[in-house]
Amino acid sequence: PYNITINNTAVSFKVEVLELILYSSATFRVTLYDNNSIPVDCKILTMSGYEYIDWKGSDSYVIQWVKQKLSLQ
């Protein structure tokens, strides 16, 4: 075996709702893209508890939440 390490930098991301359990939680797929809009990574994040309660359907809340969870701020 020959290991190859590739260092990619994500410059944007897309958030998709995979599962929504009303009054409980939401699961998102976050796809990260490089400068050429090529996917470089994918994460699955679940929002629950006070974070879900604070969401209230706001897209900007989800974007900030994703940035915090992935340490992008």
Side-chain angles (χ1 to χ4, degrees):
Y2 181 76
N3 292 328
I4 298 174
T5 303
I6 298 172
N7 187 10
N8 290 318
T9 301
V11 297
S12 63
F13 62 88
K14 176 175 72 172
V15 179
E16 300 171 89
V17 177
L18 294 180
E19 179 180 52
L20 176 63
I21 300 174
L22 294 176
Y23 311 108
S24 178
S25 66
T27 301
F28 302 93
R29 175 177 37 231
V30 181
T31 307
L32 298 118
Y33 296 91
D34 68 9
N35 278 332
N36 298 312
S37 298
I38 297 172
V40 294
D41 200 2
C42 184
K43 305 286 186 190
I44 305 296
L45 302 175
T46 299
M47 177 190 293
S48 62
Y50 73 89
E51 294 172 326
Y52 178 81
I53 292 168
D54 290 346
W55 173 21
K56 298 180 180 146
S58 168
D59 290 348
S60 58
Y61 178 87
V62 172
I63 291 167
Q64 292 306 313
W65 180 80
V66 166
K67 287 180 177 181
Q68 176 192 17
K69 292 296 178 188
L70 299 181
S71 300
L72 300 175
Q73 296 182 338

